[in-house]
Amino acid sequence: MTMHLSHAGRQRLKLLALIGVFIGPLIVAWSMVEWRVGIPDERVAHGQLMPALPNLQAWPMQASSLSLGPFDWVLAYDCAMDCPAIADRWWRLHRALGREAPRLTRLRFGGQTGALPGEIVAQWRARPAWSHEGSLWLIDPEGQVVLSYRPYHEAEEVLEDLRHLLKMNPQPALAIRE
């Protein structure tokens, strides 16, 4: 049994197909956002955005010498116990940056050991409520905290976020160090 559509029926079918072509992608996009299906993980930072944290210059710290360049990113971390192991972990991450390593300075709070290469050691004057043992912060060249990580976060995820941020924020050509 064959079905013959009238001219009006064919026109309605064409209109429904045209509406489907334009509405279909909207429905698919909405469902992807609503149920987080098909969204690439590499576009999501592993750390937590912390815009409420104060600027680095307002942190209650005592530093021997906090001389940062105008284009330096800072990896700040708090360690009181097992500090040599934690400092070594972030030193290795720093080395893994390769040619981008000079753009990063590590700022360590606590510990009794001396500073590793590329690291500044500071002490809290009074530990702020937002700082916990093992906390880690990624700070932009203007001193704003970009990302905060839970204590003892995976170094590979921090490295991935850091590489992405350095790639998205290239160093100006005039600022390249000799």
Side-chain angles (χ1 to χ4, degrees):
M1 173 176 181
T2 60
M3 188 170 158
H4 296 285
L5 292 174
S6 66
H7 178 69
R10 284 192 302 268
Q11 295 302 331
R12 283 188 192 119
L13 190 58
K14 287 180 186 178
L15 180 62
L16 287 175
L18 187 61
I19 289 172
V21 165
F22 289 105
I23 299 295
L26 292 174
I27 293 170
V28 170
W30 176 81
S31 63
M32 286 175 70
V33 169
E34 187 66 28
W35 293 303
R36 306 290 296 165
V37 175
I39 297 176
D41 287 335
E42 62 269 6
R43 300 289 183 210
V44 178
H46 300 288
Q48 182 180 12
L49 295 174
M50 297 297 287
L53 289 183
N55 192 294
L56 179 61
Q57 287 77 21
W59 286 18
M61 65 175 155
Q62 298 171 341
S64 56
S65 64
L66 189 59
S67 60
L68 300 172
F71 304 105
D72 285 354
W73 286 76
V74 177
L75 185 71
Y77 57 98
D78 189 347
C79 66
M81 298 172 48
D82 200 24
C83 210
I86 294 170
D88 183 65
R89 177 182 190 198
W90 300 127
W91 176 78
R92 290 177 188 278
L93 175 135
H94 194 168
R95 298 289 300 158
L97 286 173
R99 65 184 180 131
E100 294 288 350
R103 295 182 62 194
L104 181 71
T105 298
R106 293 182 327 282
L107 175 60
R108 181 182 77 200
F109 289 95
Q112 303 301 321
T113 60
L116 292 173
E119 181 178 62
I120 298 170
V121 179
Q123 301 296 329
W124 294 115
R125 276 188 261 130
R127 181 184 293 274
W130 42 264
S131 175
H132 304 285
E133 167 71 26
S135 293
L136 178 73
W137 305 276
L138 187 54
I139 303 166
D140 72 7
E142 295 176 1
Q144 296 295 319
V145 176
V146 177
L147 294 170
S148 176
Y149 296 90
R150 67 184 185 279
Y152 310 106
H153 197 90
E154 292 296 323
E156 293 81 19
E157 292 179 348
V158 176
L159 179 61
E160 185 178 320
D161 287 350
L162 187 53
R163 282 185 172 151
H164 182 72
L165 284 169
L166 292 175
K167 180 181 176 185
M168 293 292 111
N169 297 282
Q171 190 171 13
L174 296 176
I176 295 175
R177 296 178 186 169
E178 299 296 323

